[in-house]
Amino acid sequence: MWMFLVLVYGLLKGAREAVKKKCLQKNSVPEVLFFYTLIGFLFLIPETKGALDFDLSLFPMIIVKSTVIFIAWILSFKVIKKMPIGLYGILDMSRVLFAYMLGIAILKEKLTIYQIIGMPLVLIGLFLLRVIKGDKDSNEKVEAKYVILAVVSCMLNAVSGLIDKIIMRRDITSGQLQFWYMLVLVILYGIYLIWDRKEINFKNLKTNYWIVLLALMFIVADRCLFIANSYPESRITVMTLIKQSACFVTIILGRIVYKERDLRKKFICASVILAGIVIAVLG
């Protein structure tokens, strides 16, 4: 059951990238981020009961996590608006590399021989994105700055995952954590929307149902992952692998929905990265 839940998480995560791009076709990044997190938070209102029943000394860490995610999502949404989602899906796999690096540096996890072999494969897969020639008529050239922003976003998401590990070792439930960090995000994105000083396009917002779908997908995916983590027999190593299904979903949807090219190139690069992850995680 827990593997099925993680698979649902991976599929929804991959599909979310396509939905994000749809959202951004009608509204700006600040608008989508604010209303996306607001609607997501409203879905969590049932969690209000017992929301304060946890170690309040953890609240500063929740604020730090929310701030990290706040920046990461701004960067990723700006990138998705300009970059083919299939390409972004591959770059997003680099967060596994950052997660391992943080685990070794902060949590003092030991680096195994399999990780030493597997992690360079992840780097090689990312490098192949630049050297493998795509379709002759491909129009998917992306400015280097957006690639850099995508990688920084992945790094920040890995930092958030590290904070999750630290927080969840303490006396707090996944529902409480999700409730509070989403509330803080709503506040931060509200400030960001005001700071942007652009008139909110309510006309487009009323018909931008993609935002509601995006919020629902996010809440459901996160809850599936939280429930999967609660199973005593669940294995983080296997979960890490199953999550990578998101990349292949993103590549396929990029082709079907947005007519993106270089499908073979993307599958080759994603497969090399996945091979590195398999070796590192299951070795």
Side-chain angles (χ1 to χ4, degrees):
M1 185 62 185
W2 64 268
M3 284 192 278
F4 172 74
L5 289 170
V6 178
L7 179 61
V8 172
Y9 168 85
L11 296 176
L12 287 174
K13 182 180 181 298
R16 283 208 313 264
E17 312 308 339
V19 176
K20 287 175 186 177
K21 203 170 186 72
K22 282 290 186 182
C23 292
L24 293 168
Q25 288 177 347
K26 284 193 171 186
N27 290 96
S28 67
V29 170
E31 288 172 335
V32 173
L33 280 169
F34 173 70
F35 288 100
Y36 159 50
T37 51
L38 176 61
I39 294 170
F41 175 71
L42 293 177
F43 282 129
L44 292 171
I45 291 299
E47 300 288 346
T48 303
K49 185 178 179 181
L52 285 171
D53 188 21
F54 72 100
D55 184 357
L56 295 180
S57 65
L58 291 174
F59 203 73
M61 290 188 69
I62 294 175
I63 293 176
V64 172
K65 171 192 165 58
S66 301
T67 304
V68 170
I69 288 293
F70 166 73
I71 299 170
W73 285 2
I74 289 176
L75 296 180
S76 66
F77 272 67
K78 286 182 179 292
V79 169
I80 288 170
K81 191 169 186 176
K82 298 291 185 178
M83 179 184 288
I85 61 168
L87 177 58
Y88 176 80
I90 298 173
L91 290 172
D92 190 56
M93 294 175 83
S94 67
R95 70 168 68 188
V96 176
L97 178 64
F98 291 118
Y100 272 110
M101 292 169 60
L102 288 169
I104 294 165
I106 306 299
L107 300 179
K108 306 302 180 183
E109 295 178 355
K110 293 182 179 179
L111 186 64
T112 68
I113 184 64
Y114 297 102
Q115 290 169 347
I116 294 174
I117 296 171
M119 289 302 102
L121 278 176
V122 176
L123 292 173
I124 290 170
L126 294 171
F127 177 71
L128 287 176
L129 283 173
R130 298 290 296 173
V131 299
I132 295 180
K133 292 183 179 180
D135 299 338
K136 292 182 179 179
D137 59 346
S138 175
N139 61 351
E140 293 192 0
K141 292 183 179 179
V142 180
E143 291 183 45
K145 67 177 182 180
Y146 290 113
V147 175
I148 294 172
L149 290 179
V151 173
V152 172
S153 174
C154 291
M155 181 180 68
L156 291 174
N157 275 296
V159 171
S160 173
L162 174 68
I163 296 173
D164 284 343
K165 284 186 178 182
I166 296 172
I167 292 178
M168 291 307 293
R169 289 175 177 175
R170 305 280 292 277
D171 185 22
I172 186 172
T173 67
S174 57
Q176 290 167 333
L177 173 59
Q178 193 177 30
F179 176 87
W180 286 109
Y181 94 76
M182 285 296 291
L183 176 58
V184 175
L185 279 177
V186 171
I187 296 170
L188 290 175
Y189 285 125
I191 295 171
Y192 177 44
L193 185 62
I194 295 171
W195 176 81
D196 190 53
R197 294 184 179 180
K198 291 182 181 177
E199 186 176 349
I200 299 174
N201 192 335
F202 286 106
K203 182 179 179 180
N204 281 1
L205 278 171
K206 289 178 181 178
T207 57
N208 198 346
Y209 304 113
W210 294 106
I211 296 178
V212 178
L213 178 60
L214 182 63
L216 182 60
M217 291 170 73
F218 173 72
I219 296 300
V220 172
D222 260 24
R223 188 50 54 94
C224 285
L225 189 61
F226 288 150
I227 295 173
N229 274 311
S230 69
Y231 279 78
E233 65 273 22
S234 64
R235 294 171 56 195
I236 297 298
T237 52
V238 178
M239 291 171 72
T240 301
L241 286 179
I242 297 175
K243 287 177 187 178
Q244 306 319 310
S245 60
C247 175
F248 296 95
V249 173
T250 303
I251 293 173
I252 293 169
L253 287 179
R255 176 62 176 171
I256 295 173
V257 179
Y258 299 103
K259 311 303 178 185
E260 294 177 2
R261 301 185 184 276
D262 291 349
L263 193 66
R264 183 171 62 176
K265 168 185 173 180
K266 290 169 183 172
F267 269 117
I268 291 172
C269 295
S271 297
V272 172
I273 295 171
L274 183 59
I277 295 170
V278 170
I279 292 172
V281 172
L282 295 183

